[in-house]
Amino acid sequence: QVHVVESGGGLVQPGGSLRLSCAASGSIFSINAMGWYRQAPGMERELVAAITRDGSTNYADSVKGRFTISRDIAKNTVYLQMNSLKPEDTAVYYCNAQLGTFKRRDYWGQGTQVIVSS
């Protein structure tokens, strides 16, 4: 069992920056990858960024060059640094922890709201 908790959301103006944090607890050594997803009203949840156990990262095309996912292993925490924010980045952002070698298991945080608006 893995528990993940997001924090750091809020209201920012276009062009601003925000850093989201995701703290993991439980069977953290079983985690294969962690990622950030987001879901805007009326839209499907989409992958924003992910980082694997070996530190490899991948990003959605819409956020490449603006968002950076990173981790602090000692703190069991993953971050999402969001720069040059756009109104279309407005969404609830969810932290995801992926477990399993043959059968994938996903654990989700409660979500944190990000609103980019003037």
Side-chain angles (χ1 to χ4, degrees), residues 3 11 17 29 32 48 70 75-76 81 108-109:
H3 294 89
L11 174 64
S17 297
F29 295 119
N32 296 323
V48 177
S70 62
K75 296 182 178 180
N76 300 321
Q81 179 66 47
W108 299 89

Side-chain angles (χ1 to χ4, degrees), residues 83-118:
N83 298 326
S84 302
L85 283 162
K86 304 175 180 179
E88 49 263 46
D89 295 318
T90 296
V92 177
Y93 284 70
Y94 297 90
C95 184
N96 165 268
Q98 179 184 326
L99 286 73
T101 301
F102 302 102
K103 182 180 180 181
R104 174 172 173 167
R105 292 179 292 159
D106 291 280
Y107 295 86
W108 299 89
Q110 82 286 353
T112 184
Q113 176 73 63
V114 172
I115 300 176
V116 184
S117 177
S118 298

